[in-house]
Amino acid sequence: MFAVPLIIFFLLCIFLFKGLFSNPRELQTGRLGQEIPAFNLPDLMQDNKNWSEKDLLGKVYLINVWGTWCPTCLVELPYLTKLRERGVEIIGLYLEQGYDPDFDGEFNIQALRDEVSQMLARTGNPYQYNIFDLNRSLAFDLGVSGAPETFLVDSKGVILLHHTGDLNERTWRAKFAPKFTELKEVKL
């Protein structure tokens, strides 16, 4: 008779106890340890060029989710540019905020390209190239909740780290550099 409420009580205690030790600032994708999802998306700046997960195999790189509408991305871009200069390959995943495929029928790609070019000219361009995810398909598959977010992916296409918020020297040193150095066997 008392077994069911007692079991529920203990389960609730376990759940609450576990919550005491969780970090509310850590938002992890459910894809850690899994291969990057399959995709086939256009390049932001080049007509007739598409990228897929197969293009990313064989190298260690960061995928950085960003947008010109994102003020934190504006702050993050100069640091990412420094990382690129130090040999870190960074692929941009451009997330358009102003377009909703369910409500908007038209999108001006040239206006966006002009805006992106101007912003990257001012801040530095950390990206090898930018994948354009207008319908947010890859972003949803990665579990992206906004921008900026950064993923570390190994040469087999496996997602090893996920960071929500700007990547700066402190977060790079504490979170990414040890794993990146281990994978690349270089000192950064």
Side-chain angles (χ1 to χ4, degrees):
M1 200 66 157
F2 296 107
V4 172
L6 191 59
I7 291 171
I8 292 172
F9 174 75
F10 280 115
L11 290 175
L12 185 61
C13 286
I14 291 169
F15 174 75
L16 293 174
F17 185 75
K18 185 178 174 187
L20 288 175
F21 298 100
S22 67
N23 183 352
R25 293 176 182 235
E26 285 291 322
L27 178 64
Q28 290 295 340
T29 179
R31 300 214 50 110
L32 284 182
Q34 298 178 19
E35 291 180 5
I36 192 165
F39 67 92
N40 185 6
L41 292 169
D43 187 286
L44 176 61
M45 303 306 275
Q46 298 179 49
D47 287 328
N48 303 320
K49 174 69 180 163
N50 276 30
W51 300 102
S52 76
E53 74 285 357
K54 293 174 187 149
D55 297 309
L56 302 172
L57 292 175
K59 51 188 162 189
V60 177
Y61 58 92
L62 302 178
I63 292 182
N64 178 253
V65 181
W66 76 291
T68 55
W69 48 269
C70 164
T72 307
C73 300
L74 180 64
V75 172
E76 181 187 51
L77 284 170
Y79 182 72
L80 294 177
T81 302
K82 288 180 184 174
L83 284 179
R84 181 180 182 179
E85 291 167 359
R86 291 163 33 189
V88 177
E89 289 193 42
I90 305 171
I91 311 300
L93 177 61
Y94 191 86
L95 194 62
E96 177 55 39
Q97 187 182 42
Y99 174 78
D100 187 328
D102 294 332
F103 297 103
D104 295 330
E106 296 182 23
F107 184 79
N108 187 338
I109 186 69
Q110 191 55 50
L112 177 62
R113 286 176 175 161
D114 293 345
E115 188 177 359
V116 166
S117 294
Q118 292 169 7
M119 185 171 184
L120 294 179
R122 283 193 320 266
T123 62
N125 183 357
Y127 303 113
Q128 306 293 319
Y129 54 86
N130 272 287
I131 299 167
F132 187 39
D133 193 9
L134 183 61
N135 294 319
R136 304 178 190 134
S137 59
L138 180 57
F140 283 131
D141 288 345
L142 287 170
V144 169
S145 60
E149 293 190 26
T150 304
F151 299 85
L152 173 62
V153 183
D154 73 7
S155 61
K156 296 176 185 170
V158 176
I159 299 169
L160 301 177
L161 291 173
H162 174 211
H163 177 74
T164 302
D166 69 308
L167 191 58
N168 53 45
E169 186 66 30
R170 185 175 49 85
T171 55
W172 173 259
R173 292 271 174 223
K175 199 171 184 179
F176 283 82
K179 195 68 174 172
F180 190 85
T181 303
E182 175 187 323
L183 293 170
K184 295 285 284 189
E185 299 179 9
V186 296
K187 184 153 180 78
L188 291 174

